[in-house]
Amino acid sequence: MSGRDVFVIADNVFSPLGKTTAENFSGLKQNRSAVKPYQYRSQAYCASLFDIGEFPASQTGYTKFEQLLIASIQNALGLSGLSALDEKTVLIISSTKGNIGLLETEPVTPALHERIGLSTSAELVAEYFGFQHKPIVISNACVSGVVAILAGMRMLRSGQFEHAVIAGAELVSEFIVSGFQSFQALSPQQCRPFDKNRDGLNLGEGAATIILSSDKKYEGAIKVLGGGISNDANHISGPSRTGQELANAIEVALKDARFSAGDIDFISAHGTATQYNDEMEANAIALAGLESVPLNSLKGYYGHTLGAAGILESVISIQSLKGNFFFATPGFEETGVTKPVNVSAGAFQIPAKNLLKTASGFGGCNAAVVFGK
Amino acid sequence: MEQRINVLSASYFISSSSSIGNGFVHKDGTLIFEQTVSEGSALLLSVYQHLGFNYPKFYKMDNLAKLGWLAAENLLTGDFKHESYHPERVGLVLANTNSSLDDDMKYWNSVKDIASPSLFVYTLPNIVIGEICIRNGFKGEHTFYIQEKFDANFIIQQVNYLLDNDILDACICGWVDFLEKDFKAVLFLVEKKAIDLAMAFNAENVTSVFNLSA
């Protein structure tokens, strides 16, 4: 597809493993996982949650969700050297549940309805930094983060903006834990993506930011090369039986990048460690002709950060691409999916040029994005 | 903080429009149903019955999904031919203010007793897109945006990008919002070819349909 090159010029991961991408990368290099055991209503589950001391310093007037976004954006903006005041910069926010935890502590009034709203948070965060344009908010289940990156890529390609600050955040409230527990989707142990003994997912808190630019002075930086989004049209809470629709999104992403399957050196998979997701995803990867490409899932390190996952896992994988150093899939020992995809049990080094990031979620949504050198 | 407008010309067409609000239903700008009902979910049931739909899954949906599903059925009744498009080439771009808050509050009330998985699954705004895709077999690109208020120019930009760049051949777009007593759905079927009565897909036409009331 047409258009200008879109460069990744700065990023941040703010998670229980660290406050910057560099801190997170070094934690992962030591094979540290943020996933720990907890209990909800006398059932064990595991999650990656902030301890009090790991949370950003509190700022009056902002909810925890907004503080998390602000901390992540602040670090990435600082690294980029860009100003939020720049007329040609757009802010894009992704989250599934944002401030929903307020339902648990605040009286329900019309004012609370508005305070919970994702556009309220986005406006507050935009005003905090002084962004000149109305922020864009994407809430599309667990593909939100990948969709937000693609939205930013397109706004730069079309020349509408020159820079895009794309941030996602998610907190694990009782609302979310109880819901996933009611679905019997939570593993009592560290999750095991693509493994024979996988038994559900871990939830995770965190924020991540990626800053894109079409300015040619960033030539040489990692590029966002293309993307695709699809719907299963099958079931609202279960993925496609065949994986064909995620495979379609991957194929659209490859075509957008003017690539064929052979151009992809590494896949950062969604890999939630639920029975259905991983089976579907392996089918899709095989259908797209990528079954031999090394892949990982970072869910055993961070849990599933829902609306932030697409950005968080993209940022880590972009760092991997820069250093040709790719992380393990914690919990993976023996394959438990029908299609023989190439899941990496341990960290590895390969000369890599391009990577594919995939995501899928409730509502039958799938998304894929390609990054490259 | 206004969004910059980047719509040079309207090259696409609104083949059909559908709106459902407090007490009325429009199809292509014509009032087709009117009823004074105080409660949103009762009105949605009346619309379902009046328009003669038969889709048992409707009854298990939350209010937001019911509203969007009904608006989409109303939109596609008539001239739209599913077989004239590849499923991968039809998509959706929807937005609202209140995300899934109507169902979120119902789900959270259930948690005090036993958390209800059938309420939890609707605690995402894009589930309404999933329901419309399941009904119609649409498998193309889709996105749900949260916005303070309806922004015709923004929606037009997103849809034009998808059609200009050959990502979709047809797109359903618009607004679906439901929170307690307030609800509104306005959907547009946007196609590349003009059929009878088609309007240009531009901010003026989209806004005038959006502002229709009983």
Side-chain angles (χ1 to χ4, degrees):
Chain A
M1 181 137 48
S2 66
R4 316 151 199 237
D5 284 341
V6 174
F7 305 102
V8 178
I9 63 164
D11 52 50
N12 168 270
V13 171
F14 196 113
S15 82
L17 277 188
K19 293 175 168 58
T20 62
T21 303
E23 282 179 30
N24 275 272
F25 205 75
S26 102
L28 295 176
K29 274 203 152 176
Q30 296 159 40
N31 202 29
R32 278 175 55 208
S33 166
V35 170
K36 292 176 189 161
Y38 296 89
Q39 282 225 330
Y40 180 70
R41 296 201 169 168
S42 66
Q43 279 188 52
Y45 72 99
C46 282
S48 162
L49 308 180
F50 287 108
D51 288 334
I52 307 258
E54 292 163 347
F55 207 76
S58 119
Q59 309 205 42
T60 322
Y62 299 97
T63 62
K64 287 183 83 171
F65 169 64
E66 290 146 15
Q67 288 169 29
L68 201 50
L69 282 171
I70 288 170
S72 180
I73 293 168
Q74 192 125 48
N75 175 250
L77 261 183
L79 294 171
S80 74
L82 291 183
S83 164
L85 302 173
D86 186 327
E87 261 284 299
K88 298 185 192 113
T89 303
V90 63
L91 173 66
I92 304 175
I93 301 285
S94 83
S95 184
T96 66
K97 296 314 301 173
N99 280 326
I100 202 67
L102 295 179
L103 273 186
E104 298 162 16
T105 55
E106 306 298 318
V108 178
T109 60
L112 184 73
H113 293 162
E114 198 183 329
R115 191 65 193 82
I116 286 176
L118 282 169
S119 43
T120 304
S121 294
E123 287 287 340
L124 284 168
V125 171
E127 278 167 25
Y128 178 91
F129 291 103
F131 285 97
Q132 299 293 298
H133 297 277
K134 196 183 271 298
I136 290 159
V137 180
I138 290 167
S139 188
N140 211 93
C142 301
V143 307
S144 301
V146 173
V147 171
I149 293 170
L150 297 183
M153 173 192 79
R154 290 169 178 178
M155 285 173 187
L156 270 46
R157 274 182 178 175
S158 70
Q160 192 189 353
F161 292 100
E162 201 172 312
H163 317 292
V165 176
I166 303 155
E170 209 77 64
L171 289 164
V172 174
S173 56
E174 188 183 346
F175 184 103
I176 290 174
V177 175
S178 61
F180 279 92
Q181 192 181 77
S182 79
F183 257 89
Q184 301 179 322
L186 298 181
S187 172
Q189 57 181 339
Q190 186 186 37
C191 69
R192 310 189 64 167
F194 301 100
D195 189 79
K196 197 174 126 218
N197 295 316
R198 71 185 182 276
D199 58 358
L201 58 82
N202 301 149
L203 291 165
E205 298 187 307
T209 301
I210 187 164
I211 302 185
L212 307 181
S213 176
S214 57
D215 190 332
K216 287 205 181 312
K217 76 177 185 188
Y218 298 108
E219 196 74 58
I222 300 285
K223 288 181 273 202
V224 192
L225 295 168
I229 303 168
S230 68
N231 197 284
D232 291 341
N234 175 52
H235 195 278
I236 52 170
S237 58
S240 162
R241 279 171 210 168
T242 59
Q244 184 60 57
E245 297 77 15
L246 173 57
N248 292 345
I250 293 171
E251 279 157 16
V252 170
L254 291 176
K255 193 175 149 224
D256 191 18
R258 295 183 174 137
F259 279 173
S260 59
D263 293 309
I264 298 296
D265 302 305
F266 170 74
I267 302 168
S268 170
H270 193 50
T272 61
T274 63
Q275 285 298 332
Y276 292 114
N277 175 80
D278 294 4
E279 178 67 16
M280 181 281 286
E281 201 174 3
N283 284 340
I285 287 166
L287 282 169
L290 296 163
E291 64 273 25
S292 61
V293 178
L295 72 84
N296 75 5
S297 160
L298 297 171
K299 297 292 193 291
Y301 291 115
Y302 290 107
H304 188 352
T305 52
L306 308 175
I311 302 174
L312 189 154
E313 293 165 14
S314 288
V315 169
I316 297 297
S317 300
I318 287 164
Q319 290 300 318
S320 282
L321 191 60
K322 285 182 185 170
N324 293 320
F325 183 91
F326 298 89
F327 294 109
T329 303
F332 176 80
E333 284 170 12
E334 193 182 338
T335 188
V337 288
T338 311
K339 294 289 176 194
V341 290
N342 187 5
V343 184
S344 307
F348 61 98
Q349 272 185 293
I350 47 163
K353 200 159 175 282
N354 306 305
L355 78 85
L356 173 76
K357 167 82 202 115
T358 55
S360 298
F362 279 179
C365 47
N366 306 291
V369 55
V370 177
F371 299 96
K373 284 178 178 165
Chain B
M1 301 208 299
E2 282 306 306
Q3 205 65 56
R4 260 189 293 178
I5 297 163
N6 195 20
V7 183
L8 299 174
S9 62
S11 352
Y12 307 115
F13 299 92
I14 302 171
S15 315
S16 177
S17 69
S18 160
S19 41
I20 302 177
N22 218 329
F24 65 86
V25 179
H26 287 99
K27 161 88 173 171
D28 300 334
T30 306
L31 184 70
I32 58 164
F33 178 74
E34 197 172 10
Q35 189 177 78
T36 318
V37 180
S38 54
E39 208 251 320
S41 57
L43 180 94
L44 297 182
L45 185 60
S46 296
V47 172
Y48 177 84
Q49 290 165 340
H50 177 80
L51 297 180
F53 298 136
N54 178 19
Y55 191 68
K57 279 183 198 164
F58 176 81
Y59 295 97
K60 71 170 181 68
M61 296 179 197
D62 79 325
N63 287 324
L64 182 69
K66 279 180 178 161
L67 175 63
W69 185 89
L70 283 171
E73 285 296 290
N74 185 42
L75 182 77
L76 300 174
T77 300
D79 294 329
F80 182 76
K81 300 266 186 300
H82 287 77
E83 61 276 15
S84 53
Y85 290 104
H86 292 292
E88 297 78 19
R89 307 284 297 171
V90 185
L92 290 100
V93 175
L94 298 186
N96 78 9
T97 298
N98 291 298
S99 183
S100 54
L101 186 58
D102 189 78
D103 183 72
D104 292 351
M105 293 191 291
K106 291 184 175 128
Y107 167 72
W108 181 241
N109 283 331
S110 85
V111 173
K112 289 161 194 163
D113 196 12
I114 296 169
S116 160
S118 55
L119 289 174
F120 184 67
V121 71
Y122 286 96
T123 62
L124 293 164
N126 62 298
I127 300 296
V128 59
I129 292 178
E131 293 285 15
I132 295 168
C133 287
I134 290 167
R135 166 64 169 173
N136 295 285
F138 299 148
K139 294 187 169 183
E141 167 158 344
H142 63 281
T143 302
F144 205 104
Y145 295 93
I146 307 293
Q147 302 191 301
E148 189 190 352
K149 56 181 196 291
F150 182 67
D151 183 343
N153 284 313
F154 178 80
I155 296 291
I156 291 168
Q157 274 173 18
Q158 306 317 310
V159 175
N160 281 350
Y161 187 97
L162 296 171
L163 298 173
D164 285 347
N165 289 286
D166 206 28
I167 296 165
L168 296 178
D169 293 327
C171 188
I172 292 168
C173 66
W175 181 261
V176 183
D177 199 26
F178 196 114
L179 179 61
E180 297 184 331
K181 293 188 189 101
D182 296 320
F183 59 96
K184 179 165 182 162
V186 182
L187 296 184
F188 302 86
L189 171 63
V190 182
E191 295 181 281
K192 291 186 175 178
K193 282 186 226 148
I195 57 153
D196 297 345
L197 302 171
M199 293 187 286
F201 180 52
N202 61 35
E204 190 188 345
N205 289 333
V206 165
T207 304
S208 84
V209 173
F210 187 83
N211 291 332
L212 279 176
S213 62

